[in-house]
Amino acid sequence: QVQLVESGGGSVQPGGSLTLSCAAVGFTFSSSWMYWLRQAPGKEIEFVSSINTGSGTTYYSSAVKGRFTLSRDNVENTLSLEMNNLQPDDTALYYCSRDSKGTMKGQGTQVTVSS
């Protein structure tokens, strides 16, 4: 059974940091592009970052580029998103997903940034 389980969310002040993790089971993780998406209250789900197979090339939305770093461990089948200099606009439910549209995503982990 395919499962994606996110963890690591929480509440931080502006300028703070969090690292989100995603544990993947039930499919060939090393052969899959992986994505982080997020959805803020009242907004559409949006792309945050992705990582390809093989070389692990990463891609970021303009909103997070330079602040977030995505990595993968193909032995442990995990995905990590290091988030630095968090801002209130980063407040959202963050999802690990196998596709860019979020049709194959986990349950999400909440990130709240406020003073």
Side-chain angles (χ1 to χ4, degrees), residues 53-69:
T53 62
S55 65
T57 302
T58 52
Y59 304 86
Y60 302 93
S61 71
S62 58
V64 308
K65 193 170 186 179
R67 300 187 296 123
F68 290 13
T69 302

Side-chain angles (χ1 to χ4, degrees), residues 3-5 7 21-31 34 71-80 96:
Q3 266 195 313
L4 295 169
V5 180
S7 61
S21 297
C22 172
V25 295
F27 64 99
T28 307
F29 179 79
S30 60
S31 299
M34 294 299 299
S71 61
R72 66 189 300 160
D73 184 330
N74 288 335
V75 175
E76 298 293 329
N77 289 353
T78 57
L79 198 63
S80 292
C96 173

